[in-house]
């Protein structure tokens, strides 16, 4: 039986955000499925709106076509999508991996979570990427070059950072307003790994660790000393840490 891993990107991104770890995963025996979510600027074949239902359905169908249980990884906002998918098809998910991902409780949006963070950490600024967004009349948000470099890629090598910034695309706000309904009987049974990034400027380490405290069951943690995109800054180390954890758990 092949080892399948499905990769789900976050807002403004695409499957390209995993380009540096995809070959490393393949070299270590994984069959990699890096997806482009509907209406993200890169997926031109699937004409679905960007929302919780279509994101979930798109990933569910991709996994069902694989026909075997998979590891499902979501980066950043992709964490909300993989949670919804695990609620739908828990028997087809060997493990969820939140790569600096939004691992939120049932029916909690990211805006709800930010308000909770402000209560827990009143002296911290949780603005993140928000001050660097502009909005179109059609309801798309656009990340400024300055914001992407400062908030997402502050520790990324300069040439690579420019390359990644050039690939960012406008994101429908409906694709960020996600709050899946999760149950202990389905989502709660799936093992989870949280990859935390200590120097993240988008989801601060306090935010990441509060998410971990809110959903402690079936959870293991990997620590990366990077910003928001460990897959670009330390791709080899990230894959090594993931493979070590998989060997110790699901493929033991």
């Amino acid at each position: 039986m092949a080892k399948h891993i499905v990769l789900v990107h976050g807002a403004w991104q695409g499957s390209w955000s995993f380009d540096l770890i995809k070959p490393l995963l393949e070299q270590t025996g994984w069959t990699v499925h890096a997806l482009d979510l509907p209406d993200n600027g890169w997926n031109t074949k699937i004409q679905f709106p960007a929302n919780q239902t279509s994101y979930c359905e798109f990933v569910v169908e991709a996994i069902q076509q694989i026909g075997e249980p998979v590891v499902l990884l979501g980066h950043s906002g992709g964490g909300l999508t993989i949670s919804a998918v695990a609620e739908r098809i828990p028997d087809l998910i060997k493990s969820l991996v939140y790569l600096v991902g939004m691992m939120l409780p049932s029916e909690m949006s990211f805006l709800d979570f930010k308000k909770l963070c402000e209560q827990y950490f009143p002296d911290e600024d949780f603005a993140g990427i928000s001050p660097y967004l502009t909005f179109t009349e059609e309801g798309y948000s656009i990340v400024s070059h300055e914001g992407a470099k400062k908030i997402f890629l502050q520790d990324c090598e300069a040439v690579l950072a420019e390359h990644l910034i050039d690939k960012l695309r406008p994101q429908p706000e409906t694709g960020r307003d996600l709050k899946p309904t999760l149950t202990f009987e389905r989502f709660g049974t799936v093992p989870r790994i949280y990859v935390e990034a200590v120097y993240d400027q988008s989801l601060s380490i306090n935010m990441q660790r509060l998410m971990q405290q809110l959903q402690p069951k079936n959870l293991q943690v990997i620590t990366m000393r990077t910003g928001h995109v460990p897959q670009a800054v330390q791709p080899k180390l990230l894959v090594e840490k993931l493979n070590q954890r998989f060997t110790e758990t699901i493929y033991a």
Side-chain angles (χ1 to χ4, degrees), residues 15-55:
S15 59
W16 55 264
S17 62
F18 302 110
D19 282 354
L20 292 178
I21 63 170
K22 183 178 179 181
L24 299 174
L25 287 165
E26 291 172 339
Q27 290 167 16
T28 52
W30 290 94
T31 299
V32 180
H33 311 264
L35 305 182
D36 281 304
L37 293 175
D39 200 16
N40 73 322
W42 290 93
N43 189 336
T44 59
K45 297 179 181 179
I46 306 297
Q47 300 301 318
F48 291 148
N51 57 43
Q52 180 170 295
T53 300
S54 65
Y55 282 0

Side-chain angles (χ1 to χ4, degrees), residues 118-207:
E118 289 167 356
Q119 296 174 23
Y120 273 79
F121 310 103
D123 296 327
E124 184 170 338
D125 181 3
F126 295 104
I129 196 64
S130 296
Y132 302 95
L133 299 180
T134 57
F135 300 88
T136 70
E137 293 182 357
E138 295 77 19
Y140 285 71
S141 57
I142 300 171
V143 180
S144 72
H145 183 282
E146 177 192 4
K149 194 167 186 178
K150 180 177 180 180
I151 304 300
F152 296 150
L153 298 162
Q154 84 278 9
D155 60 338
C156 190
E157 188 272 332
V159 173
L160 177 59
E162 293 296 326
H163 172 71
L164 298 177
I165 291 170
D166 285 344
K167 288 180 171 288
L168 295 174
R169 294 292 184 270
Q171 169 77 26
E173 283 298 280
T174 52
R176 296 206 300 150
D177 184 22
L178 311 178
K179 44 182 177 181
T181 299
L182 309 173
T183 64
F184 177 79
E185 294 78 14
R186 298 182 67 80
F187 165 81
T189 64
V190 180
R192 278 167 281 132
I193 296 171
Y194 195 94
V195 181
E196 62 178 24
V198 175
Y199 304 119
D200 195 341
Q201 302 298 306
S202 177
L203 292 174
S204 74
I205 192 61
N206 281 335
M207 299 176 82

Side-chain angles (χ1 to χ4, degrees), residues 221-245:
V221 178
I222 293 173
T223 300
M224 298 290 294
R225 303 187 73 81
T226 70
H228 193 60
V229 285
Q231 68 269 38
V233 178
Q234 293 185 348
K236 183 176 180 181
L237 180 60
L238 173 62
V239 171
E240 288 174 354
K241 284 177 175 280
L242 286 173
N243 278 327
Q244 180 180 6
R245 194 57 55 93

Side-chain angles (χ1 to χ4, degrees), residues 82-151:
I82 69 171
S83 293
V85 171
E87 177 68 20
R88 278 279 307 278
I89 52 170
D91 293 344
L92 286 178
I93 312 297
K94 283 184 173 289
S95 179
L96 295 172
V97 179
Y98 294 84
L99 179 55
V100 204
M102 295 181 192
M103 184 180 66
L104 302 182
S106 180
E107 299 185 354
M108 179 180 285
S109 70
F110 182 59
L111 289 179
D112 295 334
F113 178 64
K114 283 179 71 173
K115 292 177 182 177
L116 184 64
C117 290
E118 289 167 356
Q119 296 174 23
Y120 273 79
F121 310 103
D123 296 327
E124 184 170 338
D125 181 3
F126 295 104
I129 196 64
S130 296
Y132 302 95
L133 299 180
T134 57
F135 300 88
T136 70
E137 293 182 357
E138 295 77 19
Y140 285 71
S141 57
I142 300 171
V143 180
S144 72
H145 183 282
E146 177 192 4
K149 194 167 186 178
K150 180 177 180 180
I151 304 300

